[in-house]
Amino acid sequence: MRLGLALGYWGRHPDPRQLALAQQAERLGYHSVWTSESWGSDAFTPLTWIAAHTRRIRLGTAVAQMAARTPTATAMHALTLDHLSGGRVLLGLGLSGPQVVEGWYGRPFPDSPLTATREYVDVVRQVLRREAPVELAGRYHCHPYTGPGATGLGKPLRALTHPLRAGLPVLLGAEGPRNVAQTTRLADGWLPLYWSPARSDLYAEPLAGTPEGFMVAPLTQARICADVTEGLRPVKTMLALYIGGMGHAARNFHADLMARMGYGEEARRVQRLFLSGRREEAVEAVPDSFADEISLVGPRERVAERLELWRAGPVTDLLVIAPDEETLRVLAELNS
């Protein structure tokens, strides 16, 4: 099992520690470093900065949101950074949810997310292979465009820049079983949001028959600390935001995932508290047991024991959200 460093996205301002953490991860032998985006900083620009200050570590997006860019624009970002970094890009994509797609990007959320994802990946693959001009008569992505308002002058185009790698890895963030199953057929890897090594059987069927080299790369918060309860606090804060605030009360994929993992009543309670403005209570309502099983928190000995559970399952790459260089170092030692 390889280790990756997940830096996430910026909050109010850039985190001045991120570059130092990425460089430390490279020195420690971490395989990859990952950025993401919500409705603030983008995923690709920080990776470009990190690429300029590192030499070997792979550069991943976990995830770049599909609604943020057309698939051809995403492919342009990926192939450009792949050239600049010497072939280090791992392109992680995610569809997000209706609240973000419609509220931030001003676009309709697809009524068939599986179809929209399939078409998006198809176009990205066509650009990267550069075997022919891009053509797709899709439901959501049409190349050339022939829908309302079209001039009729569009023609199929092939990327001017020759991609460095036609097989640049594409990974997908997916939560529902059908989406995960499709991911194993479309992509080179899967980026689970919440992963519990005690519940990997939840995905046994959709992951059955995954091809050789397929990446299973969950994100998890990690922290070496003496007080487990205190160490779980950032995990619970993150969960309260995603379960309560990253989606509508009637349609929240993160809350649905928590319910599938056995915490349905707790998920709805967190939602109700968060959406009513009682955010601190929402954080407290996140069960410690749930936060604990999807993270690596506590003294070195406890983390070492729990890390073995992650190593025993189908996870190929563990993408750790770690706040300090000491945690990165200990995890590298335990995983060696």
Side-chain angles (χ1 to χ4, degrees):
M1 185 179 72
R2 300 176 298 201
L3 293 178
L5 169 64
L7 295 173
Y9 45 79
W10 299 346
R12 183 174 298 178
H13 48 67
D15 187 336
R17 303 171 300 168
Q18 287 193 345
L19 180 58
L21 286 173
Q23 291 172 324
Q24 172 74 346
E26 181 172 68
R27 287 192 294 269
L28 290 170
Y30 277 58
H31 174 259
S32 54
V33 58
W34 301 74
T35 58
S36 59
E37 58 192 11
S38 55
W39 48 89
S41 61
D42 78 280
F44 289 100
T45 308
L47 277 187
T48 305
W49 182 251
I50 292 168
H53 293 84
T54 56
R55 292 188 300 161
R56 300 179 306 278
I57 197 165
R58 306 307 197 276
L59 308 159
T61 56
V63 295
Q65 295 183 342
M66 297 183 204
R69 306 163 191 87
T70 64
T72 48
T74 293
M76 289 167 65
H77 277 294
L79 72 86
T80 302
L81 181 53
D82 207 43
H83 270 291
L84 293 173
S85 66
R88 291 192 274 156
V89 171
L90 300 164
L91 179 60
L93 302 171
L95 195 59
S96 194
Q99 186 182 52
V100 176
V101 172
E102 297 183 358
W104 181 248
Y105 295 113
R107 303 180 61 183
F109 188 77
D111 54 4
S112 178
L114 292 176
T115 301
T117 299
R118 189 164 56 248
E119 291 179 5
Y120 199 101
V121 173
D122 185 345
V123 174
V124 169
R125 298 278 203 199
Q126 286 191 53
V127 174
L128 295 175
R129 287 195 300 264
R130 203 180 175 275
E131 294 172 346
V134 176
E135 291 191 83
L136 180 66
R139 178 175 171 184
Y140 300 99
H141 300 286
C142 192
H143 294 265
Y145 178 72
T146 57
T151 64
L153 301 177
K155 71 172 187 176
L157 297 171
R158 189 190 329 228
L160 290 172
T161 304
H162 290 233
L164 183 64
R165 294 182 296 162
L168 186 154
V170 176
L171 299 89
L172 293 175
E175 295 182 27
R178 291 176 60 215
N179 204 346
V180 175
Q182 175 174 267
T183 296
T184 66
R185 300 190 297 271
L186 291 183
D188 302 294
W190 172 40
L191 296 159
L193 180 59
Y194 311 142
W195 179 271
S196 168
R199 301 174 192 268
S200 57
D201 58 315
L202 282 172
Y203 299 105
E205 184 175 343
L207 288 179
T210 54
E212 183 72 23
F214 186 84
M215 295 173 64
V216 177
L219 290 85
T220 186
Q221 292 203 44
R223 184 167 191 166
I224 303 299
C225 58
D227 188 332
V228 174
T229 300
E230 182 63 26
L232 287 175
R233 182 75 184 182
V235 185
K236 295 177 63 168
T237 300
M238 176 273 294
L239 286 168
L241 172 62
Y242 274 70
I243 293 161
M246 293 283 195
H248 190 271
R251 194 171 187 185
N252 184 311
F253 300 137
H254 310 309
D256 293 343
L257 175 57
M258 183 176 173
R260 284 196 298 274
M261 297 177 74
Y263 293 91
E265 183 178 337
E266 294 86 345
R268 302 311 167 196
R269 182 161 185 264
V270 171
Q271 270 193 308
R272 288 195 299 270
L273 290 168
F274 194 96
L275 293 173
S276 64
R278 298 155 66 183
R279 298 194 175 189
E280 283 302 314
E281 291 180 62
V283 173
E284 293 300 328
V286 175
D288 281 12
S289 57
F290 180 58
D292 194 30
E293 68 177 270
I294 65 168
S295 63
L296 284 164
V297 171
R300 179 187 177 111
E301 296 74 18
R302 183 177 194 266
V303 170
E305 181 180 337
R306 295 171 66 80
L307 188 63
E308 289 306 310
L309 299 176
W310 294 78
R311 289 160 61 95
V315 173
T316 62
D317 295 77
L318 183 61
L319 313 185
V320 295
I321 305 166
D324 59 89
E325 295 187 11
E326 173 67 9
T327 296
L328 291 181
R329 181 185 62 78
V330 172
L331 287 174
E333 292 172 357
L334 294 176
N335 196 56
S336 62

